[in-house]
């Protein structure tokens, strides 16, 4: 019987296509009880699965398959671009970065128009929902350029919490990462997604933000991606995102 009959695709083929290892290595993983499909360990070689629907995990980490039609892109959003797929005011939006793609991609969370940096674009609705939901507390890392000097106690103060109009905010990490004249680059890590939260936070402690870049979303780093460019996430990055939000 061909491998792509409607009743599914052989599990070892799906694992191999997802980059887990050769077909032989994937068979060994199945036989060793390290592969789960929809929450159950599968040890039978040749088990057929629907890769578009099945949740497949190896050693507890979810894998993704091209057959599932899932797309995961990192975008370095330039300043001046609004984080929406259709801006009613006609400003530059995210549609320009998904032109020509047949999948309908959504953006995960938002950045201010004048903030640059990492935004994920995907058609994996459950992952997008969880990454954007405050209860999953995915860490976001920003680098802000602010006027210095920075008091040595500032990190402690921000970790302890600052009261904003809409409630307190605490950072998970804070450090100085660079200096240029009187300007200082600070890295701020937080699991919050409230509107303008980094700008409001740094403003409240006397360091109004001159430039703001998001460099990481959970385990995904923007790295050397240039403003306006996209790249596909690696299978390892996707697996790490799944782990972060308990999928
Ligand atoms: N905090 C901000 O102030 N702006 C953003 O775009 C993201 C976080």
């Amino acid at each position: 019987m061909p491998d792509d009959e409607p009743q599914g695709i052989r599990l070892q083929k799906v694992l191999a296509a997802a980059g887990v290892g050769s077909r032989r290595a994937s068979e060994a993983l199945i036989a060793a009880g390290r592969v789960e499909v929809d929450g159950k360990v599968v040890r039978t070689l040749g088990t057929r699965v629907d890769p578009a629907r099945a949740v497949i995990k190896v050693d507890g980490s979810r894998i993704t398959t091209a057959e599932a039609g899932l797309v995961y892109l990192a975008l370095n959003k330039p300043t001046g671009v609004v984080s929406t797929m259709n801006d009613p005011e006609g400003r530059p939006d995210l549609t320009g970065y998904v032109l020509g793609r047949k999948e309908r991609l959504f953006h995960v969370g938002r950045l201010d128009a004048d903030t640059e940096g990492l935004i994920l674009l995907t058609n994996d609705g459950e992952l997008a929902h969880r990454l954007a939901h405050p209860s999953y507390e995915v860490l976001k890392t920003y680098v802000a350029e602010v006027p210095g000097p920075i008091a040595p106690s500032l990190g402690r103060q921000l970790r302890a919490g600052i009261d904003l109009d809409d409630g307190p905010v605490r950072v998970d990490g804070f450090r100085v990462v660079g200096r240029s004249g009187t300007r200082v680059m600070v890295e701020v890590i937080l699991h919050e997604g409230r509107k303008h939260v980094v700008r409001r936070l740094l403003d409240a402690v006397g360091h109004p933000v001159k430039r703001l870049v998001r460099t990481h979303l959970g385990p995904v780093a923007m790295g050397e991606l240039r403003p306006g460019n996209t790249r596909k996430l690696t299978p390892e990055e996707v697996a790490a995102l799944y782990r972060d939000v308990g999928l």
Side-chain angles (χ1 to χ4, degrees), residues 79-101:
T79 51
V81 174
V82 290
S83 297
T84 161
M85 285 297 177
N86 184 9
D87 182 47
E89 293 173 37
R91 294 168 296 181
D93 59 25
L94 299 176
T95 38
Y97 304 100
V98 297
L99 282 181
R101 301 201 74 96

Side-chain angles (χ1 to χ4, degrees), residues 77 110-116 142 190 192-201 209 212 214:
K77 185 189 85 64
R110 288 172 192 277
L111 291 176
D112 301 336
D114 49 0
T115 299
E116 301 156 56
Y142 298 86
L190 72 180
E192 276 265 352
R194 269 181 282 165
K195 205 167 178 187
H196 308 315
V197 68
V198 177
R199 291 174 196 277
R200 291 191 287 139
L201 171 71
V209 170
L212 186 61
R214 180 155 71 190

